Amino acid sequence: MKRADLHTHTTASDGLYSPEELVRAAEKAGLGAVAITDHDTVAGVDRAKKAGMQWGIEIIPGVEISSLAGGKEIHVLGYFPGEMDRGFVEKLQSLREVRRKRNEMILEKLKELGIPIQMDEVLAKKRGESPEANVGRPHIAEVLVDKGVVTSIDEAFERFLGRGGAAYCTPRRISPEEAIRWISEAGGIPVLAHPGIYGDDKLVEGLIRGGLAGLEAYHPDHTPEMERRYEALAQKHRLIVTGGSDFHGERHGVPYHGPLGSRTVDLDRVEALFALKRGK
Ligand code: AMP
Ligand code: ZN
Ligand code: FE
Ligand code: FE
């Protein structure tokens, strides 16, 4: 039985592995497939596909969209086992524009706090060469560590960048319902990423009514109790149960979320369910 890790990041967003390195690592980890789910971009997908052919790893094109509901950041995964709609790929540009403005807002707040950082320093942390690759808070955190403002990425998020941190800000973003619609209309499968971390199952149920096709029950930040709860919720609403490691590689030696392949699903089963949902 082939296993698939359905949640990974590459250098196209805030992952540390290039698409090729990720595929190579997947092969070493004994996986049959990986989904590439970078934040607000699909820039890593084509290279991963090429490497996937070389190493015998199936690549499921995907994306993880940052949306906002009730002041909370909600991540919606989209999977594209078939053709990916060009219009959808172009729409992602507007999300990266929001992200770019948000990054500027963070730097502005840091400046007010007496911590001047230039955008060039953040962009120097970008590892992906594609113009459609992006940077986010982890890259800002790296600069804060380099400058000795904090001693770890975790501390950067705790004190400055995470929710409740001194430089935290959320710009206006699309709603999760809109993200779900964008994905569905483009022929994709919309899945709610790590539902357990929002601490709000009413919101999760609302998004199920909003058109979700699946719930990511298996995620490194979920407790075993959460895994069972979302398996049951998915079953109740006839949704696909997915899972993935949310692999990002290691920053300053510390992995965030899980090692590659630490959360997986049965590839054949998930593909069959994807095919069913696409027909709807
Ligand atoms: P952004 O997409 O720019 O808003 O940044 C959010 C991303 O930062 C999340 O998706 C995680 O990948 C990452 N992140 C959040 N908290 C931490 C942390 N404590 N250490 C490392 N990465 C983190
Ligand atoms: Zn990330
Ligand atoms: Fe996420
Ligand atoms: Fe993620």
Side-chain angles (χ1 to χ4, degrees), residues 5-28:
D5 184 333
L6 295 182
H7 192 156
T8 70
H9 295 268
T10 73
T11 48
S13 64
D14 57 1
L16 280 294
Y17 284 38
S18 69
E20 292 81 9
E21 287 165 342
L22 183 88
V23 169
R24 188 77 185 95
E27 195 268 335
K28 283 199 174 130

Side-chain angles (χ1 to χ4, degrees), residues 204-277:
V204 175
E205 290 185 38
L207 296 181
I208 293 173
R209 287 191 295 276
L212 282 175
L215 292 180
E216 185 180 55
Y218 316 124
H219 185 276
D221 295 355
H222 281 181
T223 63
E225 184 276 326
M226 284 174 189
E227 294 195 353
R228 283 193 300 274
R229 182 147 46 94
Y230 294 111
E231 277 174 345
L233 192 61
Q235 200 173 14
K236 180 175 154 196
H237 295 277
R238 297 180 186 283
L239 300 179
I240 307 172
V241 178
T242 75
S245 63
D246 210 348
F247 179 71
H248 281 75
E250 306 83 25
R251 274 198 160 72
H252 298 275
V254 184
Y256 187 63
H257 299 307
L260 189 64
S262 58
R263 296 292 184 285
T264 56
V265 291
D266 177 349
L267 177 61
D268 291 340
R269 194 165 166 271
V270 131
E271 279 191 324
L273 292 169
F274 278 1
L276 268 179
K277 290 277 181 187

